[in-house]
Amino acid sequence: MRSLLLVASAAIALSGPAAFAQDGHAGHDAHAAHQSADADGTAIAAAVAASTRSPANTARDPYRHPAETLAFFGVKPGDTIVELWPGGGWYTEILAPLTKAGGGTLYVAAPWEKGLNRIKEKQAADAATYGAVKLAEFPGTGAGDKVPDGGADVVLTFRNVHNWRFGGADKTADAFKQIFAMLKPGGTLGVVEHRLPEEMASALEEKSGYMKRSSVVGFAEAAGFKLVGESDINANPKDTHDYEKGVWTLPPNLTEGDKDREKYLAIGESDRMTLKFVKPAS
């Protein structure tokens, strides 16, 4: 489903002062919430503009829409945030200064401990920005520290669900269960994933890097999550989803090298679903 769907929580955040009840006190609360949302947006914009980000990473902003994506997920600078499988730290470069400025806490969690090596390199090179970032193992096996159960306000994962599903043993169901345990009741799981259209063969998920929305939602709901919103912030209608070498054919990987390079650059990065789940409060 490509149309923008926002449920009540997201609608309130977007409607600002218009979201008030007849009771004057409720109206005041809604206005205060709008002011808070504005402040959070300013903080996110400042983190996206941080001078500590690498030029190569900021060049991906037009495709990944970090400010809009984090705002959609309701990320606040004072939150306890968990970023799963950060890779080279593309989003870590934004989340670290955001939480540092806002008094929040950032965990990065990945397979212990090779999956965290590039974040460790950032910490060694720039302790002022990344020194407070906490390292954890995910999925947890007992080899390293885990994110404390019930401690996170927000868990974020960007283009990783296909890796849990098809990166050897299928760890998807267990991964979502562990994420559910990390979050506080009422906490948010934000997922961005390469999108395979529902009408295309499900077998394409296995090697293409794309996943169907129904597959991702199914795993999340089986773990206890409720889908509360989705957005086409990261959609790309130019993506045909049918490349011999999968999603990695497109930028930034460009696995075909110079073959049809300009064609793939013109398409841009992959078509992505942006899904917001919550852990029910009770």
Side-chain angles (χ1 to χ4, degrees):
M1 179 170 64
R2 289 174 176 270
S3 61
L4 180 64
L5 167 65
L6 296 176
V7 296
S9 60
I12 291 171
L14 291 173
S15 57
F20 59 87
Q22 292 180 348
D23 177 4
H25 178 70
H28 175 76
D29 288 346
H31 183 64
H34 176 66
Q35 290 181 317
S36 177
D38 287 347
D40 295 339
T42 299
I44 290 171
V48 170
S51 62
T52 49
R53 295 185 65 205
S54 70
N57 283 348
T58 58
R60 312 318 304 168
D61 287 2
Y63 305 104
R64 300 183 179 183
H65 312 101
E68 297 90 339
T69 300
L70 295 177
F72 176 75
F73 290 145
V75 173
K76 300 177 179 62
D79 282 345
T80 294
I81 301 170
V82 181
E83 182 189 2
L84 301 177
W85 287 33
W90 196 93
Y91 259 99
T92 312
E93 287 190 0
I94 298 169
L95 295 170
L98 178 69
T99 49
K100 179 184 177 183
T105 300
L106 175 62
Y107 286 86
V108 292
W112 197 265
E113 58 187 289
K114 184 178 179 180
L116 296 165
N117 282 347
R118 294 183 69 182
I119 304 303
K120 291 180 179 179
E121 290 172 3
K122 287 184 177 294
Q123 290 182 316
D126 185 359
T129 302
Y130 302 104
V133 175
K134 298 179 181 293
L135 307 181
E137 182 189 27
F138 178 81
T141 67
D145 295 335
K146 61 178 288 187
V147 177
D149 287 350
D153 296 294
V154 183
V155 175
L156 302 171
T157 186
F158 303 97
R159 308 175 309 282
N160 285 313
V161 180
H162 64 281
N163 291 317
W164 308 338
R165 178 75 175 86
F166 298 108
D170 184 356
K171 300 179 180 179
T172 322
D174 185 55
F176 276 93
K177 288 178 183 177
Q178 290 190 29
I179 296 168
F180 192 85
M182 291 176 191
L183 282 162
K184 300 175 182 177
T188 296
L189 166 62
V191 177
V192 176
E193 178 59 287
H194 309 292
R195 172 168 42 198
L196 183 69
E198 293 292 324
E199 65 272 16
M200 295 183 76
S202 295
L204 292 172
E205 289 184 320
E206 185 171 352
K207 295 181 179 180
S208 69
Y210 294 95
M211 290 193 69
K212 292 188 176 183
R213 171 191 176 277
S214 57
S215 297
V216 177
V217 172
F219 280 113
E221 290 182 342
F225 285 104
K226 181 179 179 181
L227 178 67
V228 296
E230 53 191 295
S231 172
D232 276 346
I233 295 167
N234 297 299
N236 181 359
K238 296 179 181 179
D239 184 359
T240 58
H241 314 88
D242 59 356
Y243 316 104
E244 182 180 353
K245 295 185 179 179
V247 69
W248 306 281
T249 304
L250 297 176
N253 297 85
L254 294 168
T255 53
E256 293 280 13
D258 289 334
K259 178 183 176 183
D260 293 327
R261 182 182 182 88
E262 294 305 315
K263 169 187 172 181
Y264 298 130
L265 286 172
I267 292 172
E269 294 196 14
S270 68
D271 177 36
R272 294 161 187 169
M273 64 186 102
T274 303
L275 306 175
K276 180 178 180 179
F277 300 92
V278 297
K279 177 177 180 175
S282 61

